[in-house]
Amino acid sequence: MSNNHEEQIRIVQETVAGKEITFAHVMGGPAPIVYQKLGLNPQVDYRSSAIGIMNMTPPESAVIASDIAVKSGNIYLGFADRFTGTLIITGEISDVMSALTEVVTFFRDSLGYVVCDITKR
């Protein structure tokens, strides 16, 4: 029997229920192409800029994290996804680091999340 349909791949993504920040990283002075490919604010002073990225579960936590981040300092909210738990912010290196620190501290101390260390490069 011949199959006239193209093969299709089915991908199933699962997350384990838990309260945790699984990834928090600051990229200091990323290349302008990174901003462009991510669709982030192109009017940034690339010499003193940074991109902060986080991932958390449950994914709706990204909404709370984005609120804390924008209230913590002069940062630009590049992306917040309540379906995957991803948050991307940009700004001056010190502002991005401060925002991620505020988010991690609040989630750990007030919400009882398990949190990772903030890495920086």
Side-chain angles (χ1 to χ4, degrees), residues 28-79:
I33 191 69
V34 176
Y35 281 88
Q36 294 165 3
K37 292 296 183 180
L38 291 176
L40 299 173
N41 186 359
Q43 298 180 352
V44 168
D45 179 6
Y46 296 111
R47 294 165 296 181
S48 62
S49 64
I51 296 174
I53 184 167
M54 302 182 83
N55 192 267
M56 57 205 72
T57 59
E60 298 85 0
S61 303
V63 176
I64 299 167
S66 64
D67 181 60
I68 294 167
V70 297
K71 290 177 179 175
S72 72
N74 188 25
I75 62 107
Y76 172 80
L77 181 60
F79 181 74

